[in-house]
Amino acid sequence: MKFPVVTVTLVTAALIYVVWDQSQEKPGPVDPSRFANLAANPAERGTVVDWAVDQVPQLCEDAFDAAVGSDAHTDCVKRSEKREPACRRAMADRFPGMVTSEPVFRDLAISAMNCLVPQSARLQ
């Protein structure tokens, strides 16, 4: 039986990548003042979506009028985490890569927040 060199190489490369990725420092929360002058200092779409994702705990708290740590709040946050990849794809399809104006920022932020914590969840 032949030794599976290609398979071992691919698995090793994948493991090295995972270890490397886990060792990278994660960026801190985005400061809202970053979006104050988008005409002079445009923001990447991903940065705006990251900021919207950071707002999820507060959105869930407002949506259910529930304290952080309550069952309703925890469920809301978990559902939002499950929706995040689909929401990021949807925002990538609908908005430009660089956000250069306040109206685009507002539309992107509101769309991302509504995707992460839908209005129907807020009305329950």
Side-chain angles (χ1 to χ4, degrees):
M1 184 165 143
K2 186 177 172 187
F3 186 74
V5 175
V6 174
T7 304
V8 171
T9 303
L10 290 174
V11 169
T12 303
L15 288 173
I16 290 171
Y17 174 78
V18 168
V19 170
W20 172 81
D21 186 53
Q22 293 295 320
S23 68
Q24 298 302 306
E25 193 171 314
K26 303 298 179 200
V30 179
D31 183 14
S33 66
R34 162 69 181 91
F35 309 117
N37 187 2
L38 292 168
N41 189 14
E44 290 184 13
R45 176 187 52 238
T47 303
V48 177
V49 175
D50 289 344
W51 177 79
V53 169
D54 289 343
Q55 305 309 305
V56 166
Q58 182 63 44
L59 291 170
C60 288
E61 188 175 346
D62 294 344
F64 292 98
D65 197 26
V68 174
S70 68
D71 289 341
H73 185 272
T74 303
D75 285 346
C76 176
V77 171
K78 285 181 181 177
R79 283 193 310 263
S80 175
E81 288 171 355
K82 289 179 184 176
R83 271 194 224 90
E84 185 179 339
C87 292
R88 285 185 181 276
R89 282 190 301 274
M91 297 308 106
D93 291 344
R94 292 181 53 199
F95 293 96
M98 294 301 289
V99 178
T100 59
S101 68
E102 183 180 330
V104 174
F105 169 79
R106 183 180 55 247
D107 290 347
L108 173 56
I110 291 171
S111 296
M113 289 177 187
N114 283 338
C115 183
L116 293 164
V117 182
Q119 288 290 333
S120 61
R122 296 179 193 168
L123 299 175
Q124 291 179 355

